Amino acid sequence: MVMDVTPQQGPDSGRPPEPSPQDPCALPAEGATALPPPPPTLRTTLRRAAFGAVAAGVLLAGALVAVDDRDERPKEPGPVERAEAAATAGSPASLSDLTALIGDRQKWVESHPKDAPSLATLGTAYVEWARRSADTAYYPRAEEALKRSLEAQPGERGNGEAWVGLAALANARHDFLAAKRWGETVRKQQPTAWSVYPVLIDAYTGLGDRKAATAATEKFGELRKGVPALARTADLYRGQGWREDALATAREAADRATRPAEKAEALHRLGELAWERGEPEEAVAQFDAALRTDSAHHASLAGRARALVALDRTDEALAAYHRALEQLPRPEYALELGELYASLGLDGDARTQYAKLREMVAAAKKDGVDESLVLARFEADHGDPEAAVELLRAQWRGQHRSAAVADALGWALHRAGRSEEGLEYAQRAADTGVRNASYAYHLGVIQRALAHYGPARRNLEQAVRTNPAFSPLAAPLAREALDALGEPPPGGPGDMRPPSPPPSPEPKREPRPEREEKPEAPAPAPSGTAAALSTSPSPSAPPSVSQSP
C-alpha cells in the first residue's frame, strides 16, 4: 500500500506495525507523542538572554519581540492532530494520519492502561483501519481495546464512545443487529450525540429498515452540518432511487470537501453514481480524480476497473483490478475479476479468482466478519445455488433484509429451480426504488421463466437502459433474453382491454369471483402453473424490508 509513513515506520511498511508483546490489542509507538514537552518558561528565556547588566534591557526587549513573533505564527498540525480534527468533524482521515493516531494512542495506553477515552479512540481507529485496508485481523484487536475501555469506564458512566466503537465494529463485521443494539443504547442516553447516528444509519440500512435509516439520516443532518451530512443524504437518496437528488447532493459534498480523504470519498461517490447511470467515461474521470486527490483511496481502483470494462479497455481494467486486490483484497473484487476473465473465455484465470474469493471469505470468518452475501452471489452463478439459498435464508432470518439480500435470495431461488418463490424477493428488491441494473435483470429473467412476458420485457429493457454494461457476463445475457422475447404484439395484450360493464345492481347479490386474467403476451402460451400464478394470490411474503426487527 502506497502511503506516507511516520519517522518510526519503515519506508516499505504498508500497514501499522504489529502489536507489542506487552499489549496484545495495540500497536507500538508511532507518530507524534500524546503529550509534547512543554515550552520553556518566560523566566528561563530571560535568564538565558541576560548576558550582563548593561545589555539587559535591550536583550529583554528583543526576547519579548521574539516570543511575540513566534506566538503569532500558527503551528502546522501534525498527522495525529489532523486525524483527530477529521474525527471531530465526522470525516475520514487519511490512512497515513490514521496510522499516526494509532501509534500515538498505543504509546499512551502502554503507560496509561486505564485511560478509557484513549482506549476507545484506539479501538475505533483499528476498526477504521481494517475497514479501509480490508485487513480483518485488526477487528479482534479493536474489540479487545474497546472492551478494555469499558472495563476502565463503563458505558453507563459516560463512556458512550466505546459503545459507538462497538457499533462500528459490528457494522464492519456485518452484524447489523448488534450494531443497532449498541447504537440505540447510546442514542437513548445521549440523543444529541451526533457520532452515534452514522453507525445507526449503517445498521438500519443493513437491516433493510428504510424508515429508521431515513429518520437517523435526517437527525444526523440536524446535528452535524456540512460535508458529512451531505454525504449521508446523498447515499440515502441513492438507495431510494432518487437519482437527480443524489447527484446534486453528492456534487455539493464534493465541492465543499477540503480534506484530501474527504474529497476523495466524495469524488468516489460521484464515480459510483455515474457508473450506475451507464456513463463509464464520466465514472473513470471521477475515479481518477479521487485517486489524484488521495492515492490511498483504493476502492476507486476497483470502480475504475469496472468502468474500464464497459469502455472495452480490457487490459487496463485487468491491471486496475489486480492493483485493487493487492491494495484492498475484498472478496467482491475477486468475484468481479473472475467474471471478467470468464467473459473473455479465460476459465482457468476465473477459477483462480474464485478460489481466492473463498480464501478471503474463510479468513474473514475467522476474524468475525460475515461475508455470506458475496459468497452466496458467487455460489448462485458459479457454484451451488442450493448453498446460496441456505446462506441467504440465514441472513433473512437474522433480519438482514436489505435490497441487496432480497435480490440475491430471489436470484438464488431462481437458480435453484424455485422461480415462483424467488419472484417474491426479487420484486421486493426492485420495489425499494433503487436504480440497479442487476436487480432489474434478475427480476426480468425470473418473470420470463414464469411466462410473465410483459413485466419481463419491461424489466429487461430497464436493465439494459439503466446501464448497458452492468456486468461482463450478465449484460449480454440480458440483451439475449430481451431479443428472445421480441416486440410486444400490435394493439397490446388482450387483457389490457376494458372489461364489459357489470349488470345492473340488484337489491341483494353475492360478490362475484375475480375474473381470470389472460397472459400479457399471446405467445408462447403460458403453462398451467404460470397461469395459476398470475391469478392466484401471491405467496406468503417475507417480512417487510422496512420493518424494524
Side-chain angles (χ1 to χ4, degrees):
M1 182 183 299
V2 179
M3 58 182 289
D4 296 332
V5 294
T6 55
Q8 290 80 7
Q9 184 178 1
D12 298 328
S13 175
R15 51 182 269 179
E18 292 299 316
S20 63
Q22 293 79 12
D23 191 345
C25 77
L27 294 176
E30 180 178 322
T33 59
L35 294 177
T41 63
L42 180 60
R43 178 180 299 176
T44 302
T45 303
L46 295 178
R47 184 182 298 115
R48 292 174 180 174
F51 293 105
V54 177
V58 176
L59 291 176
L60 174 59
L64 292 175
V65 170
V67 169
D68 290 342
D69 182 63
R70 179 189 64 187
D71 290 343
E72 289 176 0
R73 293 195 299 269
K75 180 184 176 182
E76 186 71 20
V80 174
E81 289 82 2
R82 290 196 299 266
E84 290 174 333
T88 301
S91 301
S94 70
L95 283 178
S96 57
D97 291 351
L98 187 61
T99 302
L101 177 63
I102 289 173
D104 180 80
R105 288 299 178 268
Q106 163 58 22
K107 182 176 181 179
W108 178 256
V109 300
E110 282 182 353
S111 56
H112 301 78
K114 299 297 184 181
D115 187 337
S118 292
L119 284 165
T121 299
L122 178 62
T124 304
Y126 274 139
V127 174
E128 183 69 1
W129 172 267
R131 186 184 67 82
R132 292 171 58 188
S133 67
D135 189 346
T136 59
Y138 280 80
Y139 290 135
R141 300 174 192 175
E143 184 175 4
E144 179 67 20
L146 292 166
K147 286 181 176 179
R148 285 179 55 191
S149 176
L150 289 170
E151 289 171 1
Q153 181 184 354
E156 297 87 347
R157 298 181 183 176
N159 193 5
E161 287 308 308
W163 279 348
V164 172
L166 286 172
L169 174 61
N171 278 327
R173 285 172 158 171
H174 304 149
D175 186 357
F176 302 116
L177 269 180
K180 175 188 173 183
R181 287 194 295 267
W182 287 117
E184 289 183 347
T185 300
V186 176
R187 183 178 62 184
K188 184 178 180 180
Q189 292 193 354
Q190 305 175 32
T192 59
W194 66 263
S195 61
V196 73
Y197 288 94
V199 295
L200 280 174
I201 294 168
D202 290 340
Y204 292 141
T205 301
L207 294 170
D209 192 341
R210 299 169 61 200
K211 181 178 180 180
T214 300
T217 302
E218 291 173 351
K219 185 64 176 179
F220 180 63
E222 294 174 8
L223 298 173
R224 174 58 55 180
K225 307 292 185 181
V227 176
L230 290 169
R232 289 289 180 171
T233 303
D235 290 340
L236 175 68
Y237 292 158
R238 177 184 177 185
Q240 294 178 339
W242 300 348
R243 181 175 293 172
E244 293 77 13
D245 296 296
L247 178 59
T249 309
R251 281 177 174 166
E252 184 178 357
D255 291 341
R256 295 176 61 177
T258 55
R259 298 179 179 89
E262 180 182 67
K263 185 84 167 181
E265 186 70 18
L267 293 168
H268 176 83
R269 183 177 292 103
L270 289 173
E272 290 288 327
L273 289 169
W275 162 250
E276 291 172 0
R277 293 194 308 270
E279 300 176 5
E281 290 185 358
E282 172 68 13
V284 170
Q286 297 293 352
F287 291 133
D288 283 343
L291 290 165
R292 286 194 301 270
T293 303
D294 181 3
S295 61
H297 197 277
H298 304 306
S300 289
L301 286 171
R304 185 175 186 273
R306 206 175 297 125
L308 289 170
V309 174
L311 295 171
D312 292 327
R313 295 162 60 179
T314 308
D315 290 342
E316 294 177 71
L318 290 170
Y321 266 127
H322 280 288
R323 187 179 171 201
L325 279 165
E326 290 173 1
Q327 306 292 347
L328 194 62
R330 291 177 175 169
E332 57 265 36
Y333 299 161
L335 177 58
E336 292 177 19
L337 179 55
E339 291 184 339
L340 176 56
Y341 277 130
S343 72
L344 299 172
L346 302 173
D347 294 336
D349 291 319
R351 286 192 295 270
T352 298
Q353 293 304 318
Y354 298 154
K356 289 182 179 179
L357 179 150
R358 290 185 181 278
E359 292 172 1
M360 292 177 192
V361 170
K365 186 176 181 179
K366 292 180 180 179
D367 295 321
V369 183
D370 184 357
E371 293 286 6
S372 294
L373 179 56
V374 66
L375 180 60
R377 287 172 50 209
F378 161 74
E379 294 287 2
D381 281 323
H382 312 290
D384 183 355
E386 288 291 351
V389 171
E390 184 177 350
L391 286 167
L392 293 164
R393 289 280 197 202
Q395 291 288 301
W396 199 267
R397 286 193 300 269
Q399 301 187 39
H400 292 193
R401 298 167 185 175
S402 65
V405 173
D407 165 73
L409 179 53
W411 184 245
L413 286 164
H414 164 72
R415 295 282 294 175
R418 287 176 270 170
S419 300
E420 191 169 330
E421 187 180 359
L423 177 63
E424 191 74 26
Y425 294 93
Q427 186 66 60
R428 190 175 296 275
D431 287 347
T432 61
V434 62
R435 305 284 189 90
N436 188 303
S438 182
Y439 295 179
Y441 164 69
H442 289 161
L443 179 57
V445 170
I446 294 171
Q447 290 168 329
R448 179 172 177 257
L450 295 170
H452 298 180
Y453 301 115
R457 185 181 293 106
R458 287 194 297 272
N459 283 297
L460 290 170
E461 286 176 345
Q462 180 181 339
V464 298
R465 183 175 60 250
T466 299
N467 187 352
F470 66 91
S471 163
L473 281 180
L477 296 177
R479 287 188 290 272
E480 290 177 12
L482 188 57
D483 292 341
L485 285 172
E487 295 296 327
D495 63 353
M496 294 298 290
R497 293 192 298 268
S500 301
S504 301
E506 297 178 1
K508 291 183 180 181
R509 64 175 183 173
E510 296 294 329
R512 295 180 302 159
E514 295 182 3
R515 182 176 57 87
E516 182 173 333
E517 295 183 356
K518 299 178 182 179
E520 294 196 23
S527 65
T529 302
L533 177 66
S534 66
T535 59
S536 61
S538 61
S540 220
S544 171
V545 173
S546 63
Q547 180 181 353
S548 297

